[in-house]
Amino acid sequence: MSLCFSFNVSTLNSPKYQSHKAHFYSQFINQIQVNSFSHSLPSFPLNSSLPFKFSVKRINPVRASTATSAEATQSSFRNKNPKDINILVAGSTGYIGKFVVKELVNRGFNVVAVAREKSGIRGKNSKEETLNELQGANVCFSDVTEVETLEKSLNDFGVSVDVVVSCLASRTGGVKDSWKIDYEATKNSLVAGKKLGAQHFVLLSAICVQKPLLEFQRAKLKFEAELMKETEMDSGFTYSIVRPTAFFKSLGGQVELVKDGKPYVMFGDGNLCACKPISEEDLASFIADCVLGEDKINQILPIGGPGKALTPLEQGEMLFRLLGKKPNFLKVPIGIMDFAIGVLDFLVKIFPSMEDAAEFGKIGRYYAAESMLVLDPETGEYSAERTPSYGEDTLEEFFEKVLREGMAGQELGEQAIF
């Protein structure tokens, strides 16, 4: 069933990596700490049920005229005031998506947020909780994995669309889930949005697709290629592809453990990789800039947070300094992960059902050794200098907040992010 809601609330002030994943790595680190201290697919016809509408008054999005939606939005949306621009947000209840919705609402845009009937980590949020979380937006409950259901939900909602913003990301990083969400569902949002007149598509991708060794990276790249091809076939259509570095919460998993006296775990000497982490609010602000920013049209936009690139060693030193403790590091040979992956790759040949377990191991290994920085095409090396910075929030401020308040609201859930 698909349900569409309009919600009447006042505008709130507010706004990777982005959502990616690997239980293998986070569980691996946690186990070490505790023990060491004793411690374009085509659109497939799918059946959909008749939608039910429930509406409560709110600032109304621009309705579709009697002309087709594409005709109604033929003039550039960039000449309109934000209050006259309708933005469809897919992945609106995800880690970054909910901040993007708040930022767009705060800037005065009319936001149509697509959400599952049961959203959040493992579908724990009810429709009422989702409506409360997405205050200020018009919430359309539908299923982005079923293109006909999505199209019908949006058609029944009765609005045209100027811009699509996709914050969709695989919940687990597993092989099938990556292609279902990072490619198929994202493609569905493009198809549905264009049918309602969308002229611009803002994609939240990931900086790690530069070196694609994992399924979710390949799925994202396939959609990126098809999105860019869309602009070649339609001169009136544009895109902005945002490739963020690491998210703050992906680096906060050890804060409370170290506070409790556990060592800070890192692979190798702690200098195998580096990143310029960005906060969810700053990333949401950058994504919102892409809606009207003409300098961001038809661009691939890597983006990191403010300040220098930080290695795991430097992140650990920062944390111990904030705690006023002597640094206590546990350095794990990267070869341990290589061995584990080799075993999993062997087992998956015998037990195909272990395909995702093998993929999780590879994801953990990738983020333990690869930097979340721009890959210099000339040198083949990661470059902090080539990685743009944006925003004001710093990792040190985030660590301080977690030390005071804990990781409440920052749960990794099914998406352990690096």
Side-chain angles (χ1 to χ4, degrees), residues 74-147:
Q74 200 61 53
S75 59
S76 176
F77 69 91
R78 293 183 178 89
N79 296 325
K80 301 178 184 178
N81 291 321
K83 65 182 180 64
D84 298 319
I85 298 175
N86 291 342
I87 301 179
L88 176 68
V89 180
S92 62
T93 59
Y95 175 55
I96 298 299
K98 58 190 175 185
F99 286 96
V100 170
V101 168
K102 290 177 183 178
E103 180 68 17
L104 292 171
V105 168
N106 189 48
R107 294 191 186 196
F109 294 105
N110 293 314
V111 179
V112 177
V114 179
R116 292 172 290 160
E117 291 186 23
K118 289 191 175 295
S119 64
I121 298 173
R122 300 179 185 89
K124 67 178 183 180
N125 293 342
S126 66
K127 290 189 286 291
E128 291 74 18
E129 289 171 321
T130 298
L131 288 169
N132 185 59
E133 185 175 59
L134 301 177
Q135 292 183 44
N138 302 276
V139 179
C140 181
F141 289 99
S142 191
D143 186 351
V144 291
T145 67
E146 298 185 359
V147 68

Side-chain angles (χ1 to χ4, degrees), residues 58 86 124 158 166 175 188 214 226 243 247 271 284 311 339 341 348 377 390 396:
R58 182 200 169 269
N86 291 342
K124 67 178 183 180
S166 175
V175 176
N188 291 344
L214 307 169
E226 294 188 12
R243 291 180 175 177
F247 298 154
N271 292 303
T311 64
F339 175 77
I341 291 169
V348 80
Y390 181 90
E396 183 168 352

Side-chain angles (χ1 to χ4, degrees), residues 9 32 131-132 147 221 251 298 334 418:
V9 291
I32 289 174
L131 288 169
N132 185 59
V147 68
L221 279 177
L251 305 177
N298 295 345
I334 195 71
F418 293 82

Side-chain angles (χ1 to χ4, degrees), residues 17 47 72 79 110 134 204 267 276 316 326 389 393 410 414:
Y17 174 66
N47 293 326
N79 296 325
N110 293 314
L134 301 177
L204 174 60
F267 289 92
K276 297 177 73 171
K326 181 180 178 181
S389 295
D393 299 336
Q410 297 283 339
E414 293 175 286

